[in-house]
Amino acid sequence: MSDSSDIVAQLRQIPLISLFNLFRSHCQSMSPLRPDSPALQDAIADAISTATRGAGRVNILIAGKTGVGKSTLINAVFRGELAKTGAGKPVTQTTQEYTKPGHPLTIIDTRGLEVSDYARSRQQLADLIQERSASEDQDKHVHVAWLCIQDSSHRVEDAEIELAEMLANAGIPVVVVLTKARKNSAFVAEAQKLLPRAKQVVAVRALPEWIEELDAELPPMGLDTLIEVTAEHIPEGQQRAYANALSTRNKKALEVKKKRAEIEVNVAAGLAASAAAAPIPFSDAFALVPIQVGMIAKIGITFGMELDTTAITTLVTSTLGASAATLIGRSVVSGMLKFIPGAGSAVGGTIAATTAGAITKLLGNAYVAVLYDFCLKNPGKDIDIGMIAQALRQRVKL
């Protein structure tokens, strides 16, 4: 392969007017490279739509006796106050589903674990699980189950043991949640012994609790552990949906979102480098922008943006601003090198691949940092698109 001095020498042998005519001809014939061209806008819209559709859906089954604190737990872990009204969609006589438009999360709330209702509840649940498991669509499966038992009861019922067995036999990871718990609960070890099929037993206090005897308030506890344990058992295809659904009130939720977003950045950087390495002059310009747009959309979704194409489009356009034009301009430089026969194409592709991968990673990492900082300073609040776009422009100059 020729070094950079060879490339410069070859460029100098081409008359300046020829280079100018080549560039002008390219701009006229390859109009899709213009940021406002219909073809490029269609590609951007398609990238956003693909990112939104590809978020997946995560379904979590939550079971437990009446009054055990399931609704409180749901609202403490997930954004959107899904169970605030207590009015879910009835699925069976003993099961309800909680979801909201724009949320890639379904909570399947199983009731009737009391002795009088258990037989009916168990059969209806078994039928529901079988129906969902039989679907070829992974988004319809039950991905994780939370079996909620009140910590102060210090008792695991036969119905709860049987339910845990049934769920585990169906291939559904079971996490036992001891609700309204106190620190260092002695019941954790006993529950794990009685429920050996459970992946883990987690003691949780979802809300602060005032203790009269101590004249003190006990803070929430165990939510970060529950979030982390659940993440370990969510399938890869549902990880972005799970990250989206988590409330930023919890620090561990932010870590889950950040980790998933960093994966999206690395994937996009690799795709950008591959696209830019193509030996066809200017081919990378049309491919790069949709890759970076898709990355921005996926990161926004991961951090909790509603799954709404209009909202994601606003986020992307506000965030990228004129950077699409800048990136296209940079691709023209490497594209010119690809016109040089032999070594020129190879070196041009190498330069483009390195630059495209680096720029994409810079943009993605900066965007993750801005979103993480915003969520850390504004726990539980919706993403402010204008503020995020301004912070990103200040952090990275494209």
Side-chain angles (χ1 to χ4, degrees):
M1 180 183 292
S2 299
D3 58 21
S4 57
S5 61
D6 294 328
I7 300 301
V8 172
Q10 292 182 63
L11 283 172
R12 284 176 174 171
Q13 292 174 12
I14 303 174
L16 183 61
I17 186 64
S18 297
L19 287 174
F20 174 77
N21 288 335
L22 178 63
F23 178 75
R24 182 177 63 181
S25 174
H26 161 71
C27 290
Q28 292 172 345
S29 63
M30 299 290 287
S31 59
L33 291 179
R34 296 199 317 269
D36 61 345
S37 71
L40 187 58
Q41 292 302 314
D42 287 346
I44 290 173
D46 185 61
I48 293 171
S49 179
T50 299
T52 304
R53 292 195 312 270
R57 171 162 290 277
V58 62
N59 305 310
I60 297 177
L61 184 145
I62 183 166
K65 291 182 179 179
T66 302
V68 77
K70 291 179 292 181
S71 295
T72 301
L73 181 64
I74 292 168
N75 290 333
V77 172
F78 299 110
R79 67 181 182 87
E81 301 291 332
L82 282 175
K84 188 174 183 178
T85 63
K89 172 188 173 184
V91 179
T92 70
Q93 291 175 303
T94 57
T95 304
Q96 287 188 321
E97 289 185 0
Y98 294 95
T99 190
K100 276 187 174 182
H103 285 230
L105 167 71
T106 298
I107 296 292
I108 303 168
D109 183 4
T110 298
R111 305 176 178 186
L113 287 189
E114 285 73 20
V115 175
S116 59
D117 292 330
Y118 177 66
R120 179 180 60 170
S121 177
R122 183 189 182 285
Q123 187 56 54
Q124 290 182 350
L125 179 58
D127 293 341
L128 178 65
I129 290 172
Q130 184 177 10
E131 179 185 345
R132 282 180 167 268
S133 298
S135 174
E136 295 182 1
D137 185 356
Q138 179 75 15
D139 287 349
K140 294 187 181 299
H141 295 181
V142 177
H143 303 114
V144 173
W146 290 351
L147 177 55
C148 298
I149 301 172
Q150 190 162 320
D151 180 68
S152 60
S153 71
H154 284 230
R155 178 181 175 86
V156 178
E157 303 284 354
D158 290 343
E160 292 161 340
I161 295 173
E162 188 179 346
L163 180 58
E165 285 286 325
M166 184 190 76
L167 292 167
N169 288 337
I172 299 171
V174 178
V175 178
V176 174
V177 185
L178 302 183
T179 60
K180 305 178 184 179
R182 299 288 175 89
K183 192 175 182 180
N184 301 321
S185 171
F187 188 37
V188 172
E190 182 65 18
Q192 187 71 71
K193 188 185 301 181
L194 294 171
L195 297 161
R197 301 292 300 278
K199 297 295 184 181
Q200 192 162 331
V201 177
V202 182
V204 170
R205 182 169 54 249
L207 294 176
E209 181 183 358
W210 179 260
I211 306 298
E212 291 286 350
E213 309 89 78
L214 302 177
D215 192 31
E217 184 178 77
L218 300 179
M221 57 162 271
L223 292 173
D224 281 351
T225 303
L226 178 60
I227 289 167
E228 185 174 28
V229 168
T230 302
E232 292 173 0
H233 300 291
I234 297 291
E236 177 63 26
Q238 274 61 46
Q239 285 287 346
R240 200 192 313 160
Y242 178 66
N244 174 285
L246 294 171
S247 170
T248 55
R249 289 187 296 266
N250 305 298
K251 189 170 183 180
K252 182 54 66 175
L254 264 180
E255 297 302 324
V256 170
K257 291 174 186 288
K258 184 172 183 284
K259 182 178 179 181
R260 172 50 41 179
E262 287 171 345
I263 291 173
E264 304 293 355
V265 172
N266 289 333
V267 170
L271 290 173
S274 297
I280 303 171
F282 306 106
S283 62
D284 55 321
F286 189 77
L288 280 179
V289 176
I291 288 172
Q292 290 160 344
V293 165
M295 176 186 70
I296 291 294
K298 289 173 183 176
I299 294 172
I301 291 169
T302 299
F303 270 88
M305 282 291 295
E306 300 290 316
L307 296 188
D308 176 82
T309 303
T310 303
I312 297 294
T313 301
T314 302
L315 175 71
V316 168
T317 54
S318 298
T319 301
L320 285 180
S323 67
T326 306
L327 294 174
I328 289 171
R330 291 184 181 184
S331 73
V332 169
V333 176
S334 60
M336 293 294 290
L337 291 174
K338 293 178 186 178
F339 269 109
I340 300 175
S345 296
V347 173
T350 301
I351 294 170
T354 304
T355 303
I359 290 175
T360 301
K361 194 156 189 175
L362 172 68
L363 173 63
N365 286 339
Y367 188 45
V368 171
V370 166
L371 281 169
Y372 183 87
D373 186 61
F374 174 84
C375 293
L376 194 63
K377 293 176 180 177
N378 302 276
K381 291 188 178 180
D382 293 338
I383 292 174
D384 185 318
I385 295 176
M387 187 179 296
I388 293 299
Q390 182 180 7
L392 183 63
R393 285 194 290 269
Q394 290 174 349
R395 183 178 286 264
V396 58
K397 303 297 183 182
L398 291 174

